[in-house]
């Protein structure tokens, strides 16, 4: 009876901790705009509320199901404006092709983010192939944690008839306990040194997901935005389990945030 009560108490504690997690999505380094059907300029690409293929609404719903609260940050990050954040996500920082006046990651941004991570924050950095992401400044942040997004192209996929070229096996990977095969196309590989470790490699042996401990916190790097709606909404070929992988990744990040407190 005492054991059963202890287990119930532990589960209730984990549930309460998960519900307290705020997941902050960067809207500052990634701030793309386009004209909508009415001809007006509007934000798009990797937004929580964006239900089109380019959005993160499904990933956001996955975090919400895990008990987390969604938020966004449209200004430069500081240890102060991140202090109530458990997980901070930076996705695909803008190039001038995407934004004529991009907010590049600056040395002060690196120090502020690192200060927050060191106190227990979980930082998720999601890059892209080098033609579609601003890597030089993004790498100043990655370097702080022993990582480097390489200027290469892994898992190149020509079209929907060649989905298998983007296949990555995840069977047996502890971060992805329920997913066996994922789709991650046109990604950059990640170089590692110091505390950084490989989390997932592709069939070429290139690291495409990595992690590093930094103080009390954790940094996770992924070579692609990967889990935007287009690739978790059921349009992939049978056998790909990006939806399960999204849930696995979310659970891992939330548990890291809880453990880092």
């Amino acid at each position: 009876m005492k054991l059963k009560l202890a287990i119930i108490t532990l589960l209730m504690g984990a549930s309460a901790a998960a519900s307290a997690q705020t997941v902050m999505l960067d809207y500052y380094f990634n701030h793309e705009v386009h004209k909508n059907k009415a001809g007006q300029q509007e934000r798009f690409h990797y937004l929580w509320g964006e239900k089109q293929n380019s959005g993160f609404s499904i990933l956001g719903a996955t975090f919400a199901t895990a008990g987390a609260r969604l938020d966004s940050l449209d200004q430069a990050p500081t240890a102060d404006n991140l202090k109530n954040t458990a997980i901070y996500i930076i996705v695909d920082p803008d190039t001038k092709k995407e934004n004529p006046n991009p907010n590049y990651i600056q040395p002060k941004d690196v120090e502020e983010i690192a200060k927050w991570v060191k106190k227990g924050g979980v930082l998720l950095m999601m890059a892209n192939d080098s033609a579609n992401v601003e890597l030089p400044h993004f790498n100043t942040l990655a370097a702080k944690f022993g990582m480097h997004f390489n200027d290469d192209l892994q898992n190149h996929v020509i079209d929907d008839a060649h989905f298998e070229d983007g296949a990555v096996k995840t069977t047996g990977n502890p971060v992805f306990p329920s997913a066996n095969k994922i789709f991650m196309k046109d990604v950059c590989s990640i170089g590692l040194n110091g505390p950084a470790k490989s989390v997932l490699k592709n069939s070429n042996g290139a690291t495409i997901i990595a992690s590093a401990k930094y103080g009390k916190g954790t940094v996770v790097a992924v070579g692609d935005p990967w889990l935007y709606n287009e690739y978790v909404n059921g349009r992939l070929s049978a056998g790909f389990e990006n939806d399960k992988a999204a849930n696995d990744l979310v659970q891992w990040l939330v548990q890291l945030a809880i453990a880092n407190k």
Side-chain angles (χ1 to χ4, degrees), residues 36 48 184:
N36 59 24
W48 284 140
M184 194 185 292

Side-chain angles (χ1 to χ4, degrees), residues 162-260:
H162 298 83
F163 274 138
E164 285 299 326
D165 291 337
V168 181
K169 292 288 186 179
T170 53
T171 304
N173 189 300
V175 173
F176 301 103
S178 68
N180 293 299
K181 184 173 77 168
I182 64 172
F183 180 78
M184 194 185 292
K185 74 161 191 172
D186 290 3
V187 310
C188 67
S189 64
I190 304 168
L192 310 174
N193 64 74
K197 298 179 180 178
S198 180
V199 171
L200 182 66
K201 296 181 179 181
N202 66 5
S203 59
N204 295 328
T207 293
I208 54 177
I209 301 180
S211 70
K213 286 294 293 180
Y214 186 80
K216 291 175 63 179
T218 309
V219 179
V220 177
V222 185
D224 192 73
W226 174 41
L227 293 176
Y228 50 98
N229 292 346
E230 184 175 3
Y231 297 115
V232 288
N233 64 4
R235 68 177 289 271
L236 292 173
S237 300
F240 287 105
E241 298 179 319
N242 280 22
D243 53 344
K244 292 182 179 179
N247 184 67
D248 289 341
L249 183 71
V250 163
Q251 293 294 332
W252 181 49
L253 294 173
V254 168
Q255 291 305 313
L256 284 173
I258 294 170
N260 288 351

Side-chain angles (χ1 to χ4, degrees), residues 26-75:
D26 163 65
Y27 284 1
Y28 181 73
F29 302 117
N30 177 269
H31 192 100
E32 296 180 60
V33 297
H34 68 173
K35 287 186 178 180
N36 59 24
K37 292 181 180 179
Q40 300 171 325
Q41 292 281 354
E42 67 176 9
R43 280 289 316 279
F44 85 113
H45 228 176
Y46 314 126
L47 307 180
W48 284 140
E50 187 178 1
K51 295 183 179 180
Q52 292 79 12
N53 279 349
S54 52
F56 264 160
S57 62
I58 297 174
L59 181 62
T62 305
F63 271 113
T65 299
R69 186 178 75 87
L70 305 182
D71 204 347
S72 58
L73 186 65
D74 60 3
Q75 56 187 295

Side-chain angles (χ1 to χ4, degrees), residues 72-164:
S72 58
L73 186 65
D74 60 3
Q75 56 187 295
T78 65
D80 187 57
N81 62 27
L82 289 174
K83 67 181 179 181
N84 295 317
T85 297
I87 301 167
Y88 178 44
I89 305 174
I90 302 176
V91 184
D92 190 38
D94 292 338
T95 64
K96 286 193 173 182
K97 178 180 70 175
E98 299 163 324
N99 182 339
N101 298 295
N103 295 310
Y104 292 140
I105 294 174
Q106 300 298 319
K108 185 179 187 302
D109 302 320
V110 173
E111 294 308 314
E112 291 291 324
I113 294 169
K115 191 186 304 182
W116 168 78
V117 173
K118 194 171 186 178
K119 291 182 178 180
V122 175
L123 171 65
L124 174 61
M125 298 184 294
M126 304 179 86
N128 210 330
D129 63 282
S130 59
N132 292 293
V133 62
E134 202 286 317
L135 285 183
H137 292 84
F138 203 17
N139 270 326
T140 64
L141 178 61
K144 188 75 175 179
F145 313 109
M147 305 179 194
H148 182 86
F149 293 110
N150 295 317
D151 185 4
D152 62 2
L153 186 65
Q154 301 284 333
N155 296 13
H156 182 50
V157 177
I158 299 172
D159 53 36
D160 287 2
H162 298 83
F163 274 138
E164 285 299 326

